[in-house]
Protein backbone atom coordinates (compact mmCIF):
# COMPACT_ATOMS: atom_id res chain seq x y z
CA UNK A 1 0.00 0.00 0.00
CA UNK A 2 1.55 3.28 -1.12
CA UNK A 3 1.50 6.34 1.12
CA UNK A 4 0.77 8.66 -1.79
CA UNK A 5 -0.99 6.66 -4.55
CA UNK A 6 -1.54 8.19 -7.97
CA UNK A 7 -5.13 9.24 -8.67
CA UNK A 8 -6.57 10.03 -12.11
CA UNK A 9 -9.73 12.07 -12.62
CA UNK A 10 -11.46 11.53 -15.98
CA UNK A 11 -13.38 14.56 -17.25
CA UNK A 12 -15.47 14.15 -20.44
CA UNK A 13 -16.04 17.51 -22.17
CA UNK A 14 -18.80 18.49 -24.57
CA UNK A 15 -19.95 22.09 -25.17
CA UNK A 16 -19.51 23.35 -21.61
CA UNK A 17 -17.62 26.59 -22.23
CA UNK A 18 -19.63 28.40 -19.53
CA UNK A 19 -18.86 25.82 -16.83
CA UNK A 20 -15.55 24.19 -17.67
CA UNK A 21 -13.20 26.64 -15.95
CA UNK A 22 -15.12 26.32 -12.69
CA UNK A 23 -14.83 22.53 -12.96
CA UNK A 24 -11.11 22.54 -13.73
CA UNK A 25 -10.33 25.15 -11.08
CA UNK A 26 -11.82 22.81 -8.48
CA UNK A 27 -9.27 20.20 -9.58
CA UNK A 28 -6.39 22.63 -9.14
CA UNK A 29 -7.67 23.40 -5.63
CA UNK A 30 -7.48 19.78 -4.49
CA UNK A 31 -5.50 19.42 -1.29
CA UNK A 32 -4.22 16.03 -2.49
CA UNK A 33 -1.23 16.45 -4.77
CA UNK A 34 -0.48 13.19 -6.62
CA UNK A 35 -3.09 13.69 -9.32
CA UNK A 36 -3.44 13.57 -13.08
CA UNK A 37 -6.47 15.02 -14.86
CA UNK A 38 -7.47 13.35 -18.12
CA UNK A 39 -9.68 15.74 -20.09
CA UNK A 40 -11.44 14.24 -23.09
CA UNK A 41 -13.07 16.56 -25.59
CA UNK A 42 -15.96 14.82 -27.33
CA UNK A 43 -16.13 16.86 -30.52
CA UNK A 44 -17.22 20.14 -28.88
CA UNK A 45 -18.33 22.91 -31.24
CA UNK A 46 -17.87 25.78 -28.76
CA UNK A 47 -14.72 27.09 -27.02
CA UNK A 48 -14.44 24.16 -24.59
CA UNK A 49 -11.38 22.63 -26.25
CA UNK A 50 -9.50 25.96 -26.23
CA UNK A 51 -10.21 26.32 -22.51
CA UNK A 52 -9.02 22.77 -21.88
CA UNK A 53 -5.81 23.38 -23.86
CA UNK A 54 -5.05 26.49 -21.81
CA UNK A 55 -5.18 24.44 -18.60
CA UNK A 56 -2.86 21.84 -20.11
CA UNK A 57 -0.42 24.56 -21.16
CA UNK A 58 -0.23 26.06 -17.69
CA UNK A 59 -0.50 22.96 -15.51
CA UNK A 60 1.49 19.77 -15.99
CA UNK A 61 -1.15 17.62 -14.25
CA UNK A 62 -3.61 18.12 -17.16
CA UNK A 63 -3.70 15.95 -20.29
CA UNK A 64 -6.19 16.55 -23.09
CA UNK A 65 -7.43 13.91 -25.49
CA UNK A 66 -9.13 15.77 -28.33
CA UNK A 67 -11.69 13.60 -30.13
CA UNK A 68 -12.59 15.34 -33.36
CA UNK A 69 -16.04 13.73 -33.62
CA UNK A 70 -18.83 13.49 -31.07
CA UNK A 71 -19.23 9.89 -29.91
CA UNK A 72 -21.20 10.25 -26.68
CA UNK A 73 -20.46 10.09 -22.98
CA UNK A 74 -20.00 6.31 -22.78
CA UNK A 75 -17.37 6.18 -25.50
CA UNK A 76 -15.64 9.22 -24.04
CA UNK A 77 -15.37 7.75 -20.55
CA UNK A 78 -14.22 4.43 -22.02
CA UNK A 79 -11.52 6.30 -23.95
CA UNK A 80 -10.26 7.70 -20.66
CA UNK A 81 -10.13 4.24 -19.12
CA UNK A 82 -8.28 2.79 -22.11
CA UNK A 83 -5.79 5.65 -22.02
CA UNK A 84 -5.04 5.00 -18.35
CA UNK A 85 -4.72 1.28 -19.03
CA UNK A 86 -2.05 2.18 -21.62
CA UNK A 87 -3.92 0.57 -24.49
CA UNK A 88 -2.95 3.34 -26.91
CA UNK A 89 0.27 3.99 -28.79
CA UNK A 90 1.31 7.46 -29.91
CA UNK A 91 2.92 9.21 -32.82
CA UNK A 92 4.42 12.64 -32.25
CA UNK A 93 2.93 15.28 -34.56
CA UNK A 94 4.70 18.32 -33.15
CA UNK A 95 5.98 19.47 -29.79
CA UNK A 96 3.54 18.44 -27.04
CA UNK A 97 1.03 17.06 -29.54
CA UNK A 98 0.50 13.39 -30.40
CA UNK A 99 -1.77 11.26 -32.52
CA UNK A 100 -3.29 8.10 -31.06
CA UNK A 101 -2.47 5.47 -33.68
CA UNK A 102 -5.40 3.24 -32.80
CA UNK A 103 -7.80 6.03 -33.80
CA UNK A 104 -6.71 8.84 -36.16
CA UNK A 105 -9.57 11.04 -34.91
CA UNK A 106 -7.93 11.30 -31.48
CA UNK A 107 -5.12 13.72 -30.69
CA UNK A 108 -3.38 14.15 -27.34
CA UNK A 109 -2.11 17.46 -25.96
CA UNK A 110 0.26 16.97 -23.08
CA UNK A 111 2.76 19.69 -22.26
CA UNK A 112 4.66 18.16 -19.33
CA UNK A 113 5.19 15.25 -19.51
CA UNK A 114 4.20 13.71 -22.86
CA UNK A 115 1.86 10.70 -22.57
CA UNK A 116 4.56 8.09 -23.28
CA UNK A 117 6.39 9.12 -20.12
CA UNK A 118 3.49 8.56 -17.74
CA UNK A 119 4.84 5.33 -16.34
CA UNK A 120 3.54 5.65 -12.79
CA UNK A 121 0.73 3.21 -12.09
CA UNK A 122 -2.70 4.76 -11.53
CA UNK A 123 -4.16 3.28 -8.38
CA UNK A 124 -7.48 5.12 -8.09
CA UNK A 125 -9.77 6.92 -10.51
CA UNK A 126 -12.80 9.17 -10.33
CA UNK A 127 -15.17 10.45 -12.99
CA UNK A 128 -16.17 14.12 -12.97
CA UNK A 129 -18.66 15.65 -15.39
CA UNK A 130 -17.32 18.86 -16.90
CA UNK A 131 -20.16 21.09 -15.73
CA UNK A 132 -19.80 19.86 -12.12
CA UNK A 133 -17.01 20.36 -9.58
CA UNK A 134 -15.46 18.93 -6.41
CA UNK A 135 -14.90 20.06 -2.84
CA UNK A 136 -11.21 20.87 -2.31
CA UNK A 137 -10.53 17.99 0.12
CA UNK A 138 -12.56 15.42 -1.83
CA UNK A 139 -9.66 13.28 -3.00
CA UNK A 140 -7.54 13.68 0.13
CA UNK A 141 -10.29 12.41 2.45
CA UNK A 142 -11.47 9.69 0.06
CA UNK A 143 -7.94 8.35 -0.41
CA UNK A 144 -7.36 8.26 3.33
CA UNK A 145 -10.35 5.97 3.82
CA UNK A 146 -9.60 3.91 0.70
CA UNK A 147 -6.07 3.23 1.85
CA UNK A 148 -6.84 2.65 5.51
CA UNK A 149 -9.63 0.12 4.88
CA UNK A 150 -8.51 -1.27 1.50
CA UNK A 151 -11.77 -0.27 -0.19
CA UNK A 152 -13.00 -0.92 -3.72
CA UNK A 153 -15.27 2.15 -3.73
CA UNK A 154 -15.55 5.32 -1.68
CA UNK A 155 -18.80 7.26 -2.05
CA UNK A 156 -20.12 10.48 -0.52
CA UNK A 157 -23.02 12.94 -0.68
CA UNK A 158 -24.01 15.37 -3.40
CA UNK A 159 -24.57 19.14 -3.34
CA UNK A 160 -27.17 20.30 -5.88
CA UNK A 161 -26.30 23.68 -7.39
CA UNK A 162 -28.06 26.03 -9.81
CA UNK A 163 -26.37 26.97 -13.06
CA UNK A 164 -25.48 30.25 -11.32
CA UNK A 165 -23.67 28.27 -8.57
CA UNK A 166 -26.26 28.81 -5.84
CA UNK A 167 -26.89 25.88 -3.54
CA UNK A 168 -30.25 24.12 -3.77
CA UNK A 169 -29.88 21.12 -1.45
CA UNK A 170 -27.62 18.28 -0.32
CA UNK A 171 -28.40 14.57 -0.24
CA UNK A 172 -26.97 11.09 -0.78
CA UNK A 173 -29.17 10.20 -3.76
CA UNK A 174 -29.79 6.47 -3.99
CA UNK A 175 -27.44 5.95 -1.04
CA UNK A 176 -29.36 8.08 1.46
CA UNK A 177 -30.54 5.07 3.50
CA UNK A 178 -27.16 3.31 3.40
CA UNK A 179 -25.32 3.36 6.73
CA UNK A 180 -22.59 5.96 6.65
CA UNK A 181 -18.92 5.34 7.48
CA UNK A 182 -19.48 1.59 7.57
CA UNK A 183 -17.82 -0.95 5.28
CA UNK A 184 -20.41 -2.83 3.22
CA UNK A 185 -20.54 -5.27 0.34
CA UNK A 186 -21.93 -3.84 -2.87
CA UNK A 187 -24.54 -6.56 -3.19
CA UNK A 188 -25.93 -5.51 0.22
CA UNK A 189 -26.49 -2.01 -1.11
CA UNK A 190 -28.04 -3.29 -4.35
CA UNK A 191 -30.29 -5.79 -2.53
CA UNK A 192 -31.53 -3.35 0.11
CA UNK A 193 -32.05 -0.48 -2.34
CA UNK A 194 -35.72 0.52 -2.02
CA UNK A 195 -35.87 1.80 -5.58
CA UNK A 196 -36.37 -0.41 -8.60
CA UNK A 197 -33.27 0.96 -10.32
CA UNK A 198 -29.67 1.77 -9.53
CA UNK A 199 -26.93 3.81 -11.17
CA UNK A 200 -23.55 5.29 -10.42
CA UNK A 201 -20.30 6.46 -11.98
CA UNK A 202 -19.35 9.96 -10.78
CA UNK A 203 -18.92 10.90 -7.11
CA UNK A 204 -17.15 7.57 -6.52
CA UNK A 205 -13.45 7.02 -5.91
CA UNK A 206 -12.76 3.68 -7.59
CA UNK A 207 -9.85 1.34 -6.92
CA UNK A 208 -8.45 1.03 -10.45
CA UNK A 209 -7.03 -2.45 -9.91
CA UNK A 210 -10.50 -3.61 -8.85
CA UNK A 211 -12.13 -1.97 -11.88
CA UNK A 212 -9.68 -3.62 -14.26
CA UNK A 213 -10.21 -6.99 -12.58
CA UNK A 214 -13.94 -6.95 -13.38
CA UNK A 215 -13.31 -5.67 -16.93
CA UNK A 216 -16.17 -3.17 -16.72
CA UNK A 217 -16.96 -0.61 -19.40
CA UNK A 218 -19.83 1.73 -20.22
CA UNK A 219 -22.18 0.59 -22.97
CA UNK A 220 -21.23 2.59 -26.06
CA UNK A 221 -23.87 4.45 -28.04
CA UNK A 222 -26.50 4.87 -25.32
CA UNK A 223 -27.66 7.43 -22.77
CA UNK A 224 -28.46 6.58 -19.12
CA UNK A 225 -25.22 4.60 -19.28
CA UNK A 226 -24.72 4.99 -15.51
CA UNK A 227 -27.39 2.37 -14.83
CA UNK A 228 -25.62 -0.67 -16.24
CA UNK A 229 -22.22 0.56 -15.11
CA UNK A 230 -23.39 1.41 -11.59
CA UNK A 231 -25.23 -1.87 -11.03
CA UNK A 232 -22.28 -3.96 -12.19
CA UNK A 233 -19.75 -1.81 -10.30
CA UNK A 234 -21.55 -2.14 -6.97
CA UNK A 235 -22.58 -5.74 -7.49
CA UNK A 236 -18.93 -6.77 -7.92
CA UNK A 237 -17.47 -4.57 -5.17
CA UNK A 238 -16.66 -6.30 -1.87
CA UNK A 239 -15.69 -3.32 0.25
CA UNK A 240 -17.58 -0.02 -0.05
CA UNK A 241 -17.97 2.92 2.27
CA UNK A 242 -20.40 5.85 2.03
CA UNK A 243 -18.79 8.77 3.82
CA UNK A 244 -20.87 11.30 5.71
CA UNK A 245 -19.43 14.12 3.60
CA UNK A 246 -20.74 16.10 0.65
CA UNK A 247 -17.89 16.28 -1.86
CA UNK A 248 -19.56 16.49 -5.27
CA UNK A 249 -21.28 19.61 -6.66
CA UNK A 250 -23.89 18.68 -9.25
CA UNK A 251 -24.76 21.71 -11.38
CA UNK A 252 -28.27 21.79 -12.83
CA UNK A 253 -27.41 23.10 -16.28
CA UNK A 254 -30.16 24.26 -18.63
CA UNK A 255 -29.51 21.80 -21.43
CA UNK A 256 -27.76 18.50 -20.84
CA UNK A 257 -27.72 15.01 -22.34
CA UNK A 258 -30.39 13.80 -19.92
CA UNK A 259 -32.36 17.08 -19.97
CA UNK A 260 -32.48 18.27 -23.59
CA UNK A 261 -34.46 21.38 -24.51
CA UNK A 262 -36.26 19.59 -27.33
CA UNK A 263 -37.53 15.99 -27.30
CA UNK A 264 -37.40 14.79 -30.91
CA UNK A 265 -38.50 11.43 -32.26
CA UNK A 266 -34.87 10.46 -32.82
CA UNK A 267 -34.18 11.28 -29.17
CA UNK A 268 -37.13 9.14 -28.02
CA UNK A 269 -35.86 6.30 -30.20
CA UNK A 270 -32.45 6.67 -28.57
CA UNK A 271 -34.17 6.42 -25.17
CA UNK A 272 -35.87 3.20 -26.28
CA UNK A 273 -32.66 1.67 -27.60
CA UNK A 274 -30.76 2.71 -24.48
CA UNK A 275 -33.18 0.97 -22.11
CA UNK A 276 -33.26 -2.07 -24.40
CA UNK A 277 -29.46 -2.38 -24.47
CA UNK A 278 -29.30 -1.88 -20.71
CA UNK A 279 -31.68 -4.81 -20.23
CA UNK A 280 -29.74 -6.97 -22.69
CA UNK A 281 -26.40 -6.32 -21.02
CA UNK A 282 -27.76 -6.94 -17.52
CA UNK A 283 -29.27 -10.24 -18.66
CA UNK A 284 -26.04 -11.22 -20.36
CA UNK A 285 -23.52 -10.20 -17.68
CA UNK A 286 -25.27 -11.15 -14.43
CA UNK A 287 -24.81 -14.91 -14.08
CA UNK A 288 -25.08 -15.58 -10.34
CA UNK A 289 -28.56 -17.02 -9.67
CA UNK A 290 -29.09 -14.89 -6.55
CA UNK A 291 -28.06 -11.72 -8.34
CA UNK A 292 -30.30 -12.63 -11.29
CA UNK A 293 -33.36 -12.41 -9.01
CA UNK A 294 -32.46 -8.84 -8.10
CA UNK A 295 -31.85 -7.89 -11.73
CA UNK A 296 -35.13 -9.49 -12.82
CA UNK A 297 -36.96 -7.33 -10.28
CA UNK A 298 -35.18 -4.21 -11.51
CA UNK A 299 -35.98 -4.98 -15.14
CA UNK A 300 -39.62 -5.84 -14.46
CA UNK A 301 -40.32 -2.85 -12.25
CA UNK A 302 -38.27 -0.13 -13.91
CA UNK A 303 -36.18 -0.84 -17.00
CA UNK A 304 -38.85 -2.61 -19.05
CA UNK A 305 -41.51 0.01 -18.11
CA UNK A 306 -39.09 2.75 -19.20
CA UNK A 307 -38.59 0.92 -22.48
CA UNK A 308 -42.38 0.73 -22.92
CA UNK A 309 -42.78 4.41 -22.05
CA UNK A 310 -40.31 5.36 -24.79
CA UNK A 311 -42.11 3.06 -27.22
CA UNK A 312 -45.43 4.80 -26.56
CA UNK A 313 -43.86 8.22 -27.16
CA UNK A 314 -42.86 7.22 -30.68
CA UNK A 315 -44.92 7.90 -33.79
CA UNK A 316 -46.79 4.90 -35.17
CA UNK A 317 -44.34 4.60 -38.07
CA UNK A 318 -41.47 4.12 -35.61
CA UNK A 319 -43.54 1.78 -33.45
CA UNK A 320 -44.19 -0.56 -36.36
CA UNK A 321 -40.48 -0.94 -37.00
CA UNK A 322 -39.63 -1.93 -33.44
CA UNK A 323 -42.82 -3.66 -32.27
CA UNK A 324 -41.11 -7.05 -32.25
CA UNK A 325 -38.43 -5.73 -29.91
CA UNK A 326 -41.05 -5.35 -27.18
CA UNK A 327 -42.25 -8.92 -27.64
CA UNK A 328 -38.81 -10.28 -26.73
CA UNK A 329 -39.39 -9.17 -23.14
CA UNK A 330 -42.83 -10.68 -22.51
CA UNK A 331 -41.51 -12.40 -19.38
CA UNK A 332 -41.11 -9.00 -17.72
CA UNK A 333 -44.69 -7.91 -18.31
CA UNK A 334 -46.73 -6.72 -15.35
CA UNK A 335 -50.21 -5.27 -15.00
CA UNK A 336 -48.68 -1.82 -15.47
CA UNK A 337 -46.81 -2.62 -18.68
CA UNK A 338 -49.70 -4.66 -20.05
CA UNK A 339 -51.94 -1.61 -19.62
CA UNK A 340 -49.28 0.61 -21.19
CA UNK A 341 -48.94 -1.55 -24.29
CA UNK A 342 -52.51 -2.84 -24.78
CA UNK A 343 -54.60 0.02 -23.42
CA UNK A 344 -52.42 3.13 -23.58
CA UNK A 345 -55.35 5.57 -23.30
CA UNK A 346 -56.67 3.86 -20.18
CA UNK A 347 -53.17 3.81 -18.72
CA UNK A 348 -52.74 7.53 -19.43
CA UNK A 349 -56.12 8.27 -17.82
CA UNK A 350 -55.29 6.26 -14.69
CA UNK A 351 -51.95 7.98 -14.47
CA UNK A 352 -53.61 11.39 -14.51
CA UNK A 353 -56.00 10.31 -11.77
CA UNK A 354 -53.11 9.09 -9.64
CA UNK A 355 -51.35 12.42 -10.11
CA UNK A 356 -54.35 14.32 -8.74
CA UNK A 357 -54.97 12.01 -5.77
Amino acid sequence: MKDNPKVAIIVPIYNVENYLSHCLDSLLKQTYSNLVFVLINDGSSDKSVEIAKSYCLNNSCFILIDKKINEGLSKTRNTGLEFLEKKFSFQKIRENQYKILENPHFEVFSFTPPPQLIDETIEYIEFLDSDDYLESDCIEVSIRYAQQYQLDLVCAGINHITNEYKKISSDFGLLHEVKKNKILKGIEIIRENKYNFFYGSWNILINFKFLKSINLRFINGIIYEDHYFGIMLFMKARRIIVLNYFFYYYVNTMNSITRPKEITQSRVLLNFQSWKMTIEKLEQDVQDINYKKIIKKYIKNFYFPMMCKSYLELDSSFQQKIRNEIKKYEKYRSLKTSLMLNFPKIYSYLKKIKRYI
Side-chain angles (χ1 to χ4, degrees), residues 308 311-312 319 323 326 333-352:
C308 293
Y311 173 80
L312 293 177
Q319 288 181 352
R323 196 180 304 275
I326 291 284
R333 281 215 185 194
S334 61
L335 176 60
K336 176 182 177 178
T337 48
S338 292
L339 277 173
M340 291 174 74
L341 296 171
N342 297 323
F343 306 100
K345 291 183 179 180
I346 294 176
Y347 171 77
S348 179
Y349 177 71
L350 292 174
K351 191 175 179 181
K352 288 180 181 178

Side-chain angles (χ1 to χ4, degrees), residues 263-281:
I263 306 296
T264 62
Q265 284 291 289
S266 59
R267 169 54 195 258
V268 177
L269 185 60
L270 177 59
N271 290 350
F272 177 87
Q273 296 294 349
S274 296
W275 296 124
K276 174 178 174 289
M277 290 179 68
T278 298
I279 293 172
E280 287 178 352
K281 283 287 286 177

Side-chain angles (χ1 to χ4, degrees), residues 1 28 54 67 74-75 80 95 97 113 116 149 166 230 235 241 284 301 324:
M1 183 173 67
L28 289 174
S54 71
K67 297 202 287 101
S74 292
K75 176 65 175 177
E95 192 66 27
Q97 186 174 347
Q116 293 96 323
Y149 299 107
K166 296 179 180 179
M235 196 169 279
I241 200 167
Q284 172 186 320
N301 294 333
N324 289 333

